[in-house]
Amino acid sequence: KHENHTPTGAFKVRGGLVYMDNLHRQNALPSGFITATRGNHGQSIPFAASRYGVPVTVYVPEGNSTEKNRAMQAWGAEQVVYGSDFDEARLESARVAEARGLTFTPSFQPDLVRGVATYAFELLTGVPDLHTVYVPVGMGSGVCGLVTVRDLLGLDTRIVGVVSTEAPAYARSFEAGHVVQTNDARTFVDGVACRLPDADALEIIQEGVERFVEVTDAEAAEAMRILYTDTHNVAESAGAIALAALLSDMASAGAEQFSGRPVAVIQTGGNVDADVLSEVLQGGTPRV
């Protein structure tokens, strides 16, 4: 499922548009928004808010993607660099929002989930006999949208969540049955680099996801190369890990186990810095 061809290059824009539209319909648009991101959510909110003339401040951690930063600013966001990772930036942005009387927009929120669920509806109605869908899990909006639409359509499609081995908070939380915070999330798969899962997202995930697969940074890079050479599509690292997980399962279980079983992978985005893509295409695995 190619979500790398949306106006912002990722699936998140669907959520931002629905979120803003709902606030507009309720005459509840605030004087300004604050949010935190590694890039795609931070493009979605200013892209949608610009339609209503509402300013957006986006917090990003140090060392964030240069080109994602530029894209956020191009959509009109004021950008603030804070903290060593997404979770530190998120906590600070929430604090500042409260202090300044602005609206904090988290990465996981009901209207955002409804918006991104439209890609799940397109996929599951277009290919209703899917056996399994592999989906990257960052803060959970995409996978929760898939679970909700699958259940509303009454399908038996299995949903497999995918995370990085270096950012396994959701996988650990899924195994434990409660939120488990990790100490760090140092991976070049920045779209899933979170340390603290959302409790509401985890509840949906536990009820509707079959299992999780963890993939290494090297496996993510290899999947990026395969998508580029075989489909001529650019995938950011998080956009490639669903394919990486499928390939890992095929290697461990045997490709014959998938014979006659339609399987989908979600290519969540294509926003990758040129230098990172160059290193990957030359056979390397970027280090953080």
Side-chain angles (χ1 to χ4, degrees), residues 268-283:
T268 51
N271 296 318
V272 55
D273 286 1
D275 59 339
V276 173
L277 180 62
S278 176
E279 181 177 352
V280 168
L281 294 182
Q282 293 180 66

PDB file of all heavy atoms in Angstrom, residues 268-283:
ATOM      1  N   THR A 268       4.625   3.160   4.496  1.00  0.00           N
ATOM      2  CA  THR A 268       4.008   4.308   5.165  1.00  0.00           C
ATOM      3  C   THR A 268       4.517   5.662   4.698  1.00  0.00           C
ATOM      4  O   THR A 268       3.829   6.671   4.864  1.00  0.00           O
ATOM      5  CB  THR A 268       4.200   4.212   6.684  1.00  0.00           C
ATOM      6  OG1 THR A 268       5.596   3.986   6.954  1.00  0.00           O
ATOM      7  CG2 THR A 268       3.379   3.085   7.268  1.00  0.00           C
ATOM      8  N   GLY A 269       5.718   5.722   4.136  1.00  0.00           N
ATOM      9  CA  GLY A 269       6.226   7.020   3.702  1.00  0.00           C
ATOM     10  C   GLY A 269       7.499   6.905   2.902  1.00  0.00           C
ATOM     11  O   GLY A 269       8.168   5.872   2.892  1.00  0.00           O
ATOM     12  N   GLY A 270       7.827   8.007   2.242  1.00  0.00           N
ATOM     13  CA  GLY A 270       9.029   8.048   1.416  1.00  0.00           C
ATOM     14  C   GLY A 270       9.917   9.232   1.718  1.00  0.00           C
ATOM     15  O   GLY A 270      10.702   9.661   0.867  1.00  0.00           O
ATOM     16  N   ASN A 271       9.826   9.758   2.935  1.00  0.00           N
ATOM     17  CA  ASN A 271      10.586  10.958   3.301  1.00  0.00           C
ATOM     18  C   ASN A 271      11.928  10.574   3.921  1.00  0.00           C
ATOM     19  O   ASN A 271      12.033  10.340   5.125  1.00  0.00           O
ATOM     20  CB  ASN A 271       9.764  11.822   4.267  1.00  0.00           C
ATOM     21  CG  ASN A 271       8.503  12.343   3.616  1.00  0.00           C
ATOM     22  OD1 ASN A 271       8.520  12.769   2.470  1.00  0.00           O
ATOM     23  ND2 ASN A 271       7.401  12.302   4.344  1.00  0.00           N
ATOM     24  N   VAL A 272      12.932  10.516   3.100  1.00  0.00           N
ATOM     25  CA  VAL A 272      14.263  10.126   3.549  1.00  0.00           C
ATOM     26  C   VAL A 272      15.278  11.133   3.027  1.00  0.00           C
ATOM     27  O   VAL A 272      15.192  11.584   1.880  1.00  0.00           O
ATOM     28  CB  VAL A 272      14.616   8.691   3.068  1.00  0.00           C
ATOM     29  CG1 VAL A 272      14.471   8.557   1.562  1.00  0.00           C
ATOM     30  CG2 VAL A 272      16.012   8.288   3.516  1.00  0.00           C
ATOM     31  N   ASP A 273      16.230  11.501   3.876  1.00  0.00           N
ATOM     32  CA  ASP A 273      17.273  12.440   3.465  1.00  0.00           C
ATOM     33  C   ASP A 273      18.116  11.839   2.339  1.00  0.00           C
ATOM     34  O   ASP A 273      18.377  10.629   2.316  1.00  0.00           O
ATOM     35  CB  ASP A 273      18.189  12.779   4.642  1.00  0.00           C
ATOM     36  CG  ASP A 273      17.519  13.706   5.650  1.00  0.00           C
ATOM     37  OD1 ASP A 273      16.350  14.070   5.439  1.00  0.00           O
ATOM     38  OD2 ASP A 273      18.185  14.065   6.646  1.00  0.00           O
ATOM     39  N   ALA A 274      18.553  12.692   1.440  1.00  0.00           N
ATOM     40  CA  ALA A 274      19.310  12.228   0.272  1.00  0.00           C
ATOM     41  C   ALA A 274      20.586  11.499   0.676  1.00  0.00           C
ATOM     42  O   ALA A 274      20.954  10.491   0.065  1.00  0.00           O
ATOM     43  CB  ALA A 274      19.628  13.409  -0.641  1.00  0.00           C
ATOM     44  N   ASP A 275      21.281  12.002   1.699  1.00  0.00           N
ATOM     45  CA  ASP A 275      22.530  11.355   2.093  1.00  0.00           C
ATOM     46  C   ASP A 275      22.274   9.983   2.705  1.00  0.00           C
ATOM     47  O   ASP A 275      23.059   9.041   2.510  1.00  0.00           O
ATOM     48  CB  ASP A 275      23.326  12.247   3.048  1.00  0.00           C
ATOM     49  CG  ASP A 275      22.573  12.588   4.327  1.00  0.00           C
ATOM     50  OD1 ASP A 275      21.336  12.500   4.343  1.00  0.00           O
ATOM     51  OD2 ASP A 275      23.234  12.956   5.315  1.00  0.00           O
ATOM     52  N   VAL A 276      21.164   9.845   3.425  1.00  0.00           N
ATOM     53  CA  VAL A 276      20.810   8.545   3.996  1.00  0.00           C
ATOM     54  C   VAL A 276      20.460   7.558   2.883  1.00  0.00           C
ATOM     55  O   VAL A 276      20.933   6.422   2.865  1.00  0.00           O
ATOM     56  CB  VAL A 276      19.634   8.682   4.979  1.00  0.00           C
ATOM     57  CG1 VAL A 276      19.139   7.306   5.441  1.00  0.00           C
ATOM     58  CG2 VAL A 276      20.034   9.528   6.176  1.00  0.00           C
ATOM     59  N   LEU A 277      19.648   8.004   1.941  1.00  0.00           N
ATOM     60  CA  LEU A 277      19.263   7.133   0.823  1.00  0.00           C
ATOM     61  C   LEU A 277      20.487   6.729   0.014  1.00  0.00           C
ATOM     62  O   LEU A 277      20.615   5.559  -0.385  1.00  0.00           O
ATOM     63  CB  LEU A 277      18.254   7.839  -0.069  1.00  0.00           C
ATOM     64  CG  LEU A 277      17.754   7.045  -1.277  1.00  0.00           C
ATOM     65  CD1 LEU A 277      17.035   5.777  -0.832  1.00  0.00           C
ATOM     66  CD2 LEU A 277      16.835   7.898  -2.144  1.00  0.00           C
ATOM     67  N   SER A 278      21.401   7.663  -0.198  1.00  0.00           N
ATOM     68  CA  SER A 278      22.614   7.352  -0.950  1.00  0.00           C
ATOM     69  C   SER A 278      23.428   6.272  -0.255  1.00  0.00           C
ATOM     70  O   SER A 278      23.902   5.322  -0.892  1.00  0.00           O
ATOM     71  CB  SER A 278      23.456   8.624  -1.121  1.00  0.00           C
ATOM     72  OG  SER A 278      24.677   8.330  -1.767  1.00  0.00           O
ATOM     73  N   GLU A 279      23.588   6.395   1.061  1.00  0.00           N
ATOM     74  CA  GLU A 279      24.341   5.389   1.810  1.00  0.00           C
ATOM     75  C   GLU A 279      23.675   4.025   1.722  1.00  0.00           C
ATOM     76  O   GLU A 279      24.343   2.999   1.536  1.00  0.00           O
ATOM     77  CB  GLU A 279      24.478   5.820   3.271  1.00  0.00           C
ATOM     78  CG  GLU A 279      25.278   4.842   4.124  1.00  0.00           C
ATOM     79  CD  GLU A 279      25.473   5.309   5.547  1.00  0.00           C
ATOM     80  OE1 GLU A 279      25.124   6.464   5.867  1.00  0.00           O
ATOM     81  OE2 GLU A 279      25.980   4.505   6.362  1.00  0.00           O
ATOM     82  N   VAL A 280      22.346   4.017   1.860  1.00  0.00           N
ATOM     83  CA  VAL A 280      21.612   2.753   1.790  1.00  0.00           C
ATOM     84  C   VAL A 280      21.751   2.106   0.423  1.00  0.00           C
ATOM     85  O   VAL A 280      22.031   0.901   0.303  1.00  0.00           O
ATOM     86  CB  VAL A 280      20.123   2.979   2.131  1.00  0.00           C
ATOM     87  CG1 VAL A 280      19.290   1.747   1.776  1.00  0.00           C
ATOM     88  CG2 VAL A 280      19.963   3.311   3.604  1.00  0.00           C
ATOM     89  N   LEU A 281      21.584   2.892  -0.645  1.00  0.00           N
ATOM     90  CA  LEU A 281      21.637   2.335  -1.996  1.00  0.00           C
ATOM     91  C   LEU A 281      23.034   1.830  -2.368  1.00  0.00           C
ATOM     92  O   LEU A 281      23.179   0.991  -3.252  1.00  0.00           O
ATOM     93  CB  LEU A 281      21.151   3.361  -3.013  1.00  0.00           C
ATOM     94  CG  LEU A 281      19.675   3.740  -2.916  1.00  0.00           C
ATOM     95  CD1 LEU A 281      19.308   4.738  -4.002  1.00  0.00           C
ATOM     96  CD2 LEU A 281      18.778   2.508  -2.990  1.00  0.00           C
ATOM     97  N   GLN A 282      24.040   2.334  -1.659  1.00  0.00           N
ATOM     98  CA  GLN A 282      25.412   1.851  -1.871  1.00  0.00           C
ATOM     99  C   GLN A 282      25.732   0.632  -1.013  1.00  0.00           C
ATOM    100  O   GLN A 282      26.848   0.165  -0.995  1.00  0.00           O
ATOM    101  CB  GLN A 282      26.403   2.973  -1.580  1.00  0.00           C
ATOM    102  CG  GLN A 282      26.335   4.126  -2.564  1.00  0.00           C
ATOM    103  CD  GLN A 282      27.330   5.217  -2.261  1.00  0.00           C
ATOM    104  OE1 GLN A 282      28.560   5.001  -2.352  1.00  0.00           O
ATOM    105  NE2 GLN A 282      26.841   6.388  -1.890  1.00  0.00           N
ATOM    106  N   GLY A 283      24.698   0.142  -0.312  1.00  0.00           N
ATOM    107  CA  GLY A 283      24.879  -1.089   0.465  1.00  0.00           C
ATOM    108  C   GLY A 283      25.109  -0.902   1.930  1.00  0.00           C
ATOM    109  O   GLY A 283      25.322  -1.881   2.654  1.00  0.00           O
TER     110      GLY A 283
END
